Amino acid sequence: MLWSSWLLGLELLLCLCVGFLGPVLGGRVLVMPVDGSHWLSMKLLVKELALRGHKILVLVPETSLLIQDSEKQPYRTESFAVPYTAAGLAESTKWLRESVFYPTPPLAGVTTNLHWLLNFTGTQVSGCEALLYNGDLMEDLRSQDFQLLLTDPFLPCGSIISEALALPAVYFLRGLPCGLDLLALQCPSPPSYVPRFHSGSTDSMGFLERVNNFVMSGVELQLCRVMYASFDELAARYLGRQVTYRELLGQGAIWLLRYDFAFEYPRPLMPNMVLIGGINCVKGHGLSAELEEFVEGSGEHGIVVFTLGSMVSSMPEEKAAIFFSAFSQIPQRVLWRYSGPVPDHMPENVKVMKWLPQNDLLAHPKARAFITHGGTHGIYEGICNGVPMVMMPLFGDQSDNVHRVASRGVAVVLSIFDVASETLVDALEKVINDSSFKENMQKLSAIHNDRPIEPLDLAVYWTEFVMRHKGAEHLRPAAHHLNWIQYHCLDVIGFLLVVVATVVLVMIKCCTVCLRRCCRGSQKTKED
Amino acid sequence: MLWSSWLLGLELLLCLCVGFLGPVLGGRVLVMPVDGSHWLSMKLLVKELALRGHKILVLVPETSLLIQDSEKQPYRTESFAVPYTAAGLAESTKWLRESVFYPTPPLAGVTTNLHWLLNFTGTQVSGCEALLYNGDLMEDLRSQDFQLLLTDPFLPCGSIISEALALPAVYFLRGLPCGLDLLALQCPSPPSYVPRFHSGSTDSMGFLERVNNFVMSGVELQLCRVMYASFDELAARYLGRQVTYRELLGQGAIWLLRYDFAFEYPRPLMPNMVLIGGINCVKGHGLSAELEEFVEGSGEHGIVVFTLGSMVSSMPEEKAAIFFSAFSQIPQRVLWRYSGPVPDHMPENVKVMKWLPQNDLLAHPKARAFITHGGTHGIYEGICNGVPMVMMPLFGDQSDNVHRVASRGVAVVLSIFDVASETLVDALEKVINDSSFKENMQKLSAIHNDRPIEPLDLAVYWTEFVMRHKGAEHLRPAAHHLNWIQYHCLDVIGFLLVVVATVVLVMIKCCTVCLRRCCRGSQKTKED
């Protein structure tokens, strides 16, 4: 009794402290996550919000890869029916587990990637549609009087729900395919020094690279229309008015973006972009006794951590053999997240596990190198712990991420298609023994870790800000009220050209008339 | 003894805590301030840095308005000879005290303003030149092995010294005339929704306003060349190479900008722009007993605070009479920073003072209105304390500031030229009794005060960051390596047009040749 009244007193005191800023505690937050690795870092924010006293409801598709109902979590979940089965979902991600290890013809790589993306998002959007048209659930959500919607805009459900329930939205993401995030934010992104995804350029481009980047930025715009056509259609159909997904996204109050300039090339930002790169690099919980023993046993050589992300835990046997062979030739011990078959004579310095505490291992002083596919979660865990990397991109934005990291001199990039034991051993030796990699990584790590406020705290702060002020309207640029022609002042330039042309024409006309009169006058005088 | 070893232990502990981030304590900072109100807020940062253990040296012109040598401060000062006297300096600011109260013909207002600005900065630049060519002093500075230069780039001395001594620079400013700060930062500023200074527009513009803003942005570019010609010349002459002031500014590591989006219209930012609006709104120290009694004596009606900034403490007698007359008609008590002659029958509710604790008075619960000229220091003190304003801009950026504040519905704007007792009384009644002003101001104040980290802490943090990492190169966009044509991709567009034109021409040529051959063939067949 005493305890609860003490707590009540504390809560009241906190409320008084924030004064007229309104309530911080006990906000009601609806969360619409995206399945897969996207959920892993968003979950950190969701948990933290719940631990800070907010009432959270997470909408969970009844069939999902990584989002699960859980009674152990400090937040509530609400499951909704989706029109796909676990087998169907597995089928849509089969490509990841099987095809990414073998080469495709140059252009086919892009189209296969795109095809997979459209296929995967298509499945997810069907789930999204099932949620939106689940009248009872939507009615229930409406009645719960939420103050905020937290969502990953990789899928359109969150934005549509935010519009339908008139809730301010906080977006949590790394970025959107074809740069839709920047378009929706009205954030300038000059193609002269902001490299487009898959352009293969850094921010310092020669003339032909700039030509390529410029053309790609145009292609991207067209690609956006194709890629988001189904999102546009669903949004317009559900909301019953002509609206594009980009316009809906533009309503977002705050964008929590999982990057910073230790990773990205410096470029313009908008006021409602909050950079929370490294949010997933949470402080270590220490290793289990068994793991600690294995790691400590590596002696002065240390360990190599090897994962290919949450979606890819296995690989074809002949590929795996290359890795086992390479690892048998290095003095380091290797911890590998791998669920495939192991060879009869597995090297003693290798430990395969179905899941491994990646960040805790990278944070260990014995971590010497990190073999990764180049997902941003892994990259940031590598950067924040200062571990040089060997990178093998598989799909999506990974080849681009890898390119960014390698340009800092902290990683060696290999192709998963033609990786061989020798190249892998060489790459590992290079990042471990060439001191420049470690030095560059330590500098990058120091820059990344040196920030006035931790990313998780910043994310919580701005989420609560949106609840306190019912949005963040003061950070929304007036550019949202302009169309493309107006934004770029093309109408103004056209008008000014017409004015100038008219003035010039009138002046020429006047001069001609004057000259003619003068000539006539002088002719007349002569005739006279 | 125990105490000092405890302190040493604490210092060591702090050093260990920051780990490989390098030293935070005991940095050596050279400060090149700008005289006048600019110094008032920079001084807060300088003092805070000194209090946090950094060794600070402030360069002080021997003749100045507000910067003084002071033994009481926790920082050192170094005085340098300047070629102007106190009388000369007073002459250059005479216009402020005398002419700003009377109207000038429409265009003359702008040119007089500009003329004064050029005259004032001309005097200051001559002081700057005296410092740069003071060989002994410069040698002494070079030998002191500073880690950082903190300066206000309103004058060029700081940037030139930073280049000459190869020190990373941190800039502290509100903005630069003709938007040179944004140009030097390579920060996009689309004229379609970012209103130019003195355009009289908000961020929401009609077609003709956009035309005006577009033309003004062009004029601004030309104006920059005129205004900074003497800066360019001095920089090139002193550094002995062809360099413009804008290029020098572009080397700045971090820009601490005294605004936020409670005051400015939302627009693009660059990664090295740190917003510290409201840094001058420090927590109240309370009022003196005498002032407290006067303020408390105002009863339910409260008080009105009236200042015209640090540069203007007086006004012509007939103007002052208007204010005295107006104040005699209102129930509030008035505290007025005024050093001019007072009338024989001064209203009892008015207290004039040569200096007043503006922020502490505005922070008092009895503050009802703030009469101000619209300097950003005063504006932020009004906003952070939530006090509606009556604004009378005098010169410089003030008319523009006032326009921005008034557009939020928190202030009434009057013209100092034709202010009359009745209009002043009406304006005061409006902001005090029309609840919308107070409500809007409270909302604005809540938004402004709601930030994850206090502006002063943020400014200290980024200054220390630059010391720790010897700059902030990772925040510097590659745009600095491009010229205007490259930045806007005009060369790329030209190239692509030529390519397209060539392809089209070749295709037309091919088609023509083919058609001709076909025609000839068919003619031949006919003839056959």
Side-chain angles (χ1 to χ4, degrees):
Chain A
M1 184 62 193
L2 255 176
W3 181 239
S4 68
S5 59
W6 185 85
L7 270 182
L8 185 71
L10 184 70
E11 191 160 334
L12 278 172
L13 187 69
L14 272 168
C15 283
L16 280 172
C17 286
V18 293
F20 49 82
L21 298 180
V24 175
L25 290 167
R28 291 174 303 283
V29 181
L30 180 61
V31 180
M32 181 70 233
V34 163
D35 204 0
S37 62
H38 287 231
W39 168 239
L40 297 181
S41 48
M42 187 193 245
K43 192 178 169 184
L44 295 169
L45 173 59
V46 171
K47 271 178 83 169
E48 189 64 27
L49 284 168
L51 291 173
R52 294 197 193 189
H54 300 288
K55 294 181 184 74
I56 315 276
L57 178 67
V58 183
L59 295 172
V60 180
E62 64 179 3
T63 305
S64 79
L65 295 170
L66 293 172
I67 317 174
Q68 267 102 33
D69 287 338
S70 173
E71 286 179 8
K72 284 182 192 162
Q73 300 295 353
Y75 49 81
R76 284 188 304 139
T77 52
E78 175 86 46
S79 172
F80 61 92
V82 287
Y84 48 83
T85 60
L89 194 61
E91 188 62 30
S92 78
T93 59
K94 194 177 157 193
W95 177 76
L96 283 188
R97 292 185 305 278
E98 293 178 2
S99 311
V100 290
F101 296 98
Y102 297 103
T104 39
L107 254 181
V110 177
T111 50
T112 315
N113 230 318
L114 189 63
H115 179 255
W116 173 78
L117 190 67
L118 290 175
N119 189 20
F120 179 72
T121 51
T123 309
Q124 303 275 319
V125 169
S126 72
C128 175
E129 201 167 338
L131 166 66
L132 291 172
Y133 285 100
N134 183 335
D136 290 344
L137 177 55
M138 287 299 287
E139 208 41 60
D140 182 41
L141 294 179
R142 199 181 298 273
S143 72
Q144 290 192 48
D145 203 17
F146 290 105
Q147 291 170 291
L148 177 103
L149 183 113
L150 173 66
T151 190
D152 180 332
F154 187 76
L155 292 176
C157 340
S159 302
I160 298 174
I161 294 175
S162 126
E163 186 73 8
L165 303 189
L167 293 177
V170 170
Y171 294 140
F172 186 99
L173 66 159
R174 146 79 177 98
L176 292 178
C178 84
L180 188 74
D181 47 336
L182 299 180
L183 289 172
L185 274 157
Q186 299 280 0
C187 181
S189 179
S192 50
Y193 73 97
V194 183
R196 294 315 188 244
F197 268 104
H198 301 294
S199 69
S201 299
T202 68
D203 57 348
S204 178
M205 298 180 235
F207 178 71
L208 286 180
E209 280 181 301
R210 282 195 293 114
V211 170
N212 178 46
N213 205 48
F214 185 83
V215 171
M216 284 190 76
S217 70
V219 171
E220 231 180 36
L221 276 179
Q222 295 312 314
L223 205 63
C224 260
R225 293 188 191 183
V226 179
M227 287 187 65
Y228 295 103
S230 64
F231 291 21
D232 293 345
E233 189 274 330
L234 177 61
R237 174 157 47 92
Y238 187 77
L239 297 170
R241 64 185 171 89
Q242 206 48 47
V243 66
T244 64
Y245 184 47
R246 179 181 158 177
E247 285 163 4
L248 267 194
L249 279 181
Q251 305 288 340
I254 290 288
W255 294 62
L256 302 171
L257 295 155
R258 286 194 296 103
Y259 56 78
D260 65 1
F261 297 108
F263 168 66
E264 275 285 350
Y265 303 117
R267 58 178 170 75
L269 297 168
M270 293 306 283
N272 54 347
M273 291 165 81
V274 177
L275 303 193
I276 52 161
I279 191 171
N280 55 307
C281 194
V282 281
K283 282 205 180 85
H285 307 97
L287 300 175
S288 66
E290 186 206 345
L291 267 186
E292 184 69 40
E293 196 188 327
F294 183 80
V295 171
E296 280 299 334
S298 65
E300 55 168 337
H301 296 296
I303 58 161
V304 171
V305 183
F306 177 20
T307 64
L308 292 177
S310 56
M311 305 280 273
V312 182
S313 67
S314 182
M315 61 173 72
E317 227 165 306
E318 67 274 18
K319 281 279 171 199
I322 296 170
F323 287 91
F324 281 115
S325 160
F327 296 152
S328 70
Q329 300 168 45
I330 60 169
Q332 283 77 27
R333 285 193 170 179
V334 180
L335 291 113
W336 180 4
R337 181 187 177 235
Y338 177 68
S339 60
V342 294
D344 296 338
H345 303 289
M346 194 167 79
E348 277 183 8
N349 63 333
V350 178
K351 187 178 182 69
V352 298
M353 301 160 78
K354 288 202 173 157
W355 174 90
L356 54 74
Q358 181 172 285
N359 192 44
D360 295 332
L361 285 169
L362 292 169
H364 199 284
K366 292 229 181 273
R368 296 287 179 274
F370 178 29
I371 309 176
T372 170
H373 62 307
T376 46
H377 287 107
I379 286 177
Y380 269 111
E381 290 176 7
I383 292 177
C384 87
N385 293 302
V387 183
M389 307 181 211
V390 172
M391 310 183 90
M392 284 175 292
L394 301 180
F395 63 94
D397 60 354
Q398 292 159 12
S399 63
D400 213 83
N401 297 341
V402 159
H403 187 61
R404 271 154 220 256
V405 178
S407 75
R408 311 271 182 173
V410 299
V412 167
V413 180
L414 298 180
S415 161
I416 193 76
F417 303 146
D418 48 21
V419 66
S421 300
E422 299 74 40
T423 49
L424 187 58
V425 170
D426 287 351
L428 283 170
E429 275 189 354
K430 204 170 170 187
V431 300
I432 293 172
N433 299 323
D434 180 342
S435 62
S436 76
F437 284 88
K438 185 71 186 170
E439 281 161 19
N440 289 337
M441 190 43 123
Q442 275 179 332
K443 274 184 205 158
L444 198 66
S445 189
I447 281 168
H448 167 71
N449 288 317
D450 195 353
R451 51 207 170 197
I453 180 165
E454 288 303 299
L456 185 57
D457 293 324
L458 199 61
V460 168
Y461 187 88
W462 283 105
T463 309
E464 291 182 339
F465 182 101
V466 173
M467 280 193 270
R468 281 193 289 269
H469 302 280
K470 300 180 175 54
E473 200 55 32
H474 71 300
L475 300 180
R476 186 179 157 81
H480 286 289
H481 305 302
L482 302 173
N483 61 36
W484 189 80
I485 290 176
Q486 292 168 328
Y487 179 91
H488 292 284
C489 289
L490 299 183
D491 52 348
V492 170
I493 293 170
F495 171 76
L496 290 176
L497 284 178
V498 168
V499 169
V500 170
T502 312
V503 170
V504 170
L505 277 178
V506 168
M507 281 173 69
I508 291 174
K509 193 76 192 168
C510 288
C511 290
T512 323
V513 170
C514 287
L515 273 174
R516 260 189 217 155
R517 288 208 176 160
C518 288
C519 291
R520 267 187 215 158
S522 59
Q523 262 186 332
K524 222 175 181 181
T525 320
K526 269 188 192 172
E527 283 168 12
D528 288 344
Chain B
M1 184 64 191
L2 256 177
W3 181 240
S4 67
S5 58
W6 184 86
L7 270 182
L8 185 72
L10 185 69
E11 193 161 331
L12 278 172
L13 185 70
L14 271 169
C15 284
L16 281 173
C17 284
V18 294
F20 50 81
L21 297 179
V24 175
L25 290 166
R28 292 175 302 284
V29 182
L30 180 61
V31 180
M32 181 69 234
V34 163
D35 204 0
S37 62
H38 287 230
W39 168 240
L40 297 181
S41 49
M42 187 194 246
K43 192 178 170 185
L44 295 170
L45 173 58
V46 171
K47 272 179 82 167
E48 189 64 26
L49 284 169
L51 291 173
R52 295 197 193 189
H54 299 288
K55 294 181 182 73
I56 315 275
L57 178 67
V58 183
L59 295 171
V60 181
E62 65 179 6
T63 305
S64 79
L65 295 170
L66 293 173
I67 317 175
Q68 267 103 32
D69 286 338
S70 172
E71 288 178 9
K72 283 184 196 162
Q73 300 297 351
Y75 49 80
R76 285 188 303 139
T77 53
E78 175 86 48
S79 172
F80 61 93
V82 287
Y84 48 82
T85 59
L89 195 62
E91 186 63 30
S92 78
T93 58
K94 194 177 157 192
W95 176 75
L96 284 188
R97 293 185 304 278
E98 294 178 0
S99 309
V100 291
F101 295 98
Y102 297 103
T104 40
L107 254 183
V110 177
T111 53
T112 316
N113 230 318
L114 190 63
H115 178 256
W116 174 78
L117 191 66
L118 289 175
N119 190 22
F120 179 72
T121 53
T123 310
Q124 303 276 320
V125 168
S126 72
C128 176
E129 202 167 339
L131 166 66
L132 292 172
Y133 285 99
N134 183 335
D136 291 343
L137 177 55
M138 286 300 286
E139 209 41 61
D140 183 41
L141 294 180
R142 199 181 298 273
S143 72
Q144 290 193 46
D145 203 18
F146 289 105
Q147 292 169 289
L148 178 103
L149 183 112
L150 173 66
T151 190
D152 181 332
F154 186 75
L155 292 177
C157 339
S159 302
I160 298 175
I161 293 175
S162 127
E163 187 73 4
L165 303 189
L167 294 177
V170 169
Y171 294 141
F172 186 99
L173 67 159
R174 147 77 176 98
L176 292 177
C178 85
L180 187 73
D181 47 336
L182 299 181
L183 289 173
L185 275 157
Q186 298 279 1
C187 182
S189 179
S192 48
Y193 73 95
V194 182
R196 295 315 188 244
F197 268 105
H198 301 295
S199 68
S201 298
T202 68
D203 57 348
S204 178
M205 298 179 233
F207 177 73
L208 287 179
E209 279 180 301
R210 282 195 295 114
V211 170
N212 178 45
N213 205 48
F214 184 85
V215 171
M216 285 190 78
S217 69
V219 171
E220 229 181 38
L221 276 178
Q222 297 311 313
L223 204 64
C224 258
R225 292 186 193 187
V226 179
M227 287 189 65
Y228 295 102
S230 64
F231 290 21
D232 292 345
E233 189 274 330
L234 177 61
R237 174 157 48 89
Y238 187 77
L239 297 170
R241 63 184 171 90
Q242 208 45 49
V243 66
T244 64
Y245 184 48
R246 179 181 157 177
E247 284 162 5
L248 267 194
L249 279 181
Q251 306 287 340
I254 290 287
W255 293 62
L256 302 171
L257 294 154
R258 286 196 294 101
Y259 56 77
D260 65 0
F261 297 107
F263 168 64
E264 275 285 349
Y265 303 117
R267 57 178 172 75
L269 296 168
M270 292 307 280
N272 55 346
M273 293 165 80
V274 177
L275 304 192
I276 52 161
I279 192 172
N280 56 308
C281 193
V282 280
K283 283 205 177 84
H285 307 97
L287 299 174
S288 67
E290 186 205 345
L291 267 187
E292 185 67 41
E293 196 189 326
F294 183 80
V295 170
E296 279 299 335
S298 65
E300 56 166 338
H301 295 298
I303 59 162
V304 171
V305 183
F306 177 21
T307 65
L308 292 177
S310 56
M311 306 280 273
V312 182
S313 67
S314 181
M315 62 173 72
E317 229 166 305
E318 66 273 21
K319 281 278 170 199
I322 296 170
F323 287 91
F324 280 115
S325 158
F327 296 152
S328 70
Q329 298 168 47
I330 60 170
Q332 282 78 25
R333 286 192 168 178
V334 180
L335 291 113
W336 180 4
R337 181 186 176 234
Y338 177 69
S339 61
V342 295
D344 296 337
H345 303 289
M346 194 168 79
E348 276 182 11
N349 64 334
V350 178
K351 185 176 184 70
V352 298
M353 301 159 78
K354 287 202 173 153
W355 174 89
L356 55 74
Q358 182 172 286
N359 192 45
D360 295 332
L361 284 170
L362 291 170
H364 199 285
K366 292 230 180 272
R368 296 286 181 273
F370 178 29
I371 309 177
T372 171
H373 62 307
T376 45
H377 287 109
I379 286 177
Y380 269 111
E381 290 175 7
I383 291 178
C384 87
N385 293 304
V387 182
M389 309 181 209
V390 172
M391 309 184 90
M392 283 175 292
L394 300 179
F395 64 94
D397 60 352
Q398 292 159 13
S399 63
D400 213 83
N401 297 341
V402 158
H403 187 61
R404 271 155 221 258
V405 178
S407 75
R408 312 270 183 174
V410 299
V412 166
V413 181
L414 298 180
S415 162
I416 193 75
F417 303 145
D418 49 21
V419 65
S421 301
E422 299 72 38
T423 50
L424 188 58
V425 169
D426 285 351
L428 282 170
E429 273 188 357
K430 206 169 169 188
V431 299
I432 294 170
N433 299 326
D434 180 341
S435 63
S436 76
F437 285 88
K438 186 72 186 167
E439 281 162 18
N440 289 337
M441 189 44 122
Q442 275 180 333
K443 274 186 206 157
L444 197 65
S445 189
I447 281 168
H448 167 72
N449 288 318
D450 194 353
R451 51 208 169 194
I453 180 165
E454 288 304 299
L456 185 57
D457 293 323
L458 200 61
V460 168
Y461 187 88
W462 283 105
T463 309
E464 292 183 338
F465 183 99
V466 173
M467 280 193 270
R468 280 192 291 268
H469 303 279
K470 300 179 175 51
E473 200 54 33
H474 72 299
L475 300 180
R476 184 179 159 80
H480 286 288
H481 306 302
L482 302 174
N483 61 36
W484 189 79
I485 290 176
Q486 291 168 328
Y487 180 92
H488 292 284
C489 289
L490 299 184
D491 52 348
V492 170
I493 293 169
F495 171 77
L496 290 176
L497 285 178
V498 169
V499 169
V500 169
T502 311
V503 168
V504 169
L505 277 178
V506 167
M507 281 174 67
I508 290 174
K509 193 75 192 167
C510 288
C511 290
T512 323
V513 170
C514 287
L515 273 175
R516 259 188 219 155
R517 290 208 175 162
C518 288
C519 291
R520 269 187 214 158
S522 59
Q523 261 185 335
K524 225 176 179 184
T525 321
K526 269 187 188 173
E527 284 167 14
D528 287 345

